[in-house]
Amino acid sequence: MASSQEITNVEKDIVALFRRKDSQALQLIDQYYQRALVGVIMRIVKTEAFAQDVWQESLVKIWKNSHTYDPEKGRLFTWLLNICRRTAIDKTRSKVYKESFNVGESMTISDTGNPVPSESPYIDGIGVREMVKKLDPKYQEVIELAYFLGYSHQEMAQKLDLPLGTVKTRIRKAIKELRVWMGK
């Protein structure tokens, strides 16, 4: 597991490479973040094949939008996670994805025949789960649903039987608290 100082240095290197339009940035992202991000993607799309497709699509989006990343607005991992999460959610809404599960494919078995883990070990590798566990339970719940399970704000409001504004406020407060703990 990489130290927080090593991750900070890697983030700086990636940002510098983004600015120079150097594709080595993608190699560093793949080396340091791929396991965690694909773990989150798997929780949303449920199969290895779709997860790998989403990962490749996400890398393309990351590269095309690298100029939009602003270190002042948040951590690189959060930016990467949001791109991967949105791409995975978009995939689950696609016709191809929906049709693949309508023909009887199990959503709990990966394409290699291995069960999809209910808890991604990759997220813990960077300490995100441990930080989330420190949050008040009502904040843990919205972070889990939004970032680890891929729920939209509207879906969370329906699932939790809460007003949409309450869900959004809880997410903002949780993220603010996590940023304080991360030193951002």
Side-chain angles (χ1 to χ4, degrees):
M1 175 173 27
S3 70
S4 62
Q5 184 59 45
E6 182 181 359
I7 292 295
T8 301
N9 291 336
V10 168
E11 285 186 7
K12 288 178 184 176
D13 291 344
I14 291 170
V15 171
L17 292 166
F18 277 166
R19 289 189 180 126
R20 292 194 311 256
K21 297 288 185 202
D22 187 332
S23 63
Q24 187 181 1
L26 295 178
Q27 293 169 349
L28 289 174
I29 289 168
D30 199 53
Q31 179 182 349
Y32 284 91
Y33 299 106
Q34 188 241 2
R35 289 184 66 175
L37 295 170
V38 170
V40 171
I41 292 167
M42 279 288 291
R43 303 260 329 249
I44 298 168
V45 299
K46 310 294 187 209
T47 71
E48 286 182 36
F50 280 120
Q52 289 306 316
D53 285 349
V54 169
W55 176 241
Q56 294 305 314
E57 289 174 33
S58 297
L59 287 174
V60 170
K61 288 179 181 181
I62 289 164
W63 182 246
K64 286 183 176 179
N65 295 296
S66 61
H67 66 282
T68 66
Y69 173 66
D70 182 355
E72 297 298 317
K73 291 184 178 178
R75 305 273 323 234
L76 178 65
F77 179 79
T78 306
W79 184 77
L80 297 170
L81 177 66
N82 283 329
I83 290 172
C84 292
R85 189 178 66 82
R86 283 191 305 266
T87 304
I89 291 167
D90 289 347
K91 178 64 81 177
T92 65
R93 294 177 178 153
S94 74
K95 184 178 180 181
V96 170
Y97 181 87
K98 288 177 181 175
E99 286 176 356
S100 75
F101 290 110
N102 286 339
V103 295
E105 185 176 340
S106 171
M107 292 188 66
T108 59
I109 303 295
S110 71
D111 288 350
T112 62
N114 298 322
V116 175
S118 62
E119 292 296 319
S120 173
Y122 309 127
I123 295 170
D124 289 335
I126 59 172
V128 173
R129 271 233 194 263
E130 287 305 310
M131 281 196 198
V132 170
K133 285 180 183 177
K134 294 178 185 178
L135 292 170
D136 182 288
K138 66 184 177 189
Y139 299 140
Q140 285 181 31
E141 186 173 45
V142 294
I143 294 297
E144 175 76 24
L145 290 172
Y147 292 99
F148 300 145
L149 297 176
Y151 280 64
S152 70
H153 291 170
Q154 188 64 45
E155 291 167 335
M156 284 187 287
Q158 290 171 349
K159 180 174 179 61
L160 300 173
D161 196 27
L162 292 171
L164 183 60
T166 301
V167 168
K168 290 179 179 183
T169 299
R170 285 184 182 179
I171 290 172
R172 272 193 308 274
K173 287 181 178 180
I175 290 172
K176 188 175 182 179
E177 205 168 313
L178 289 169
R179 280 186 179 151
V180 168
W181 293 339
M182 295 169 97
K184 270 293 198 183

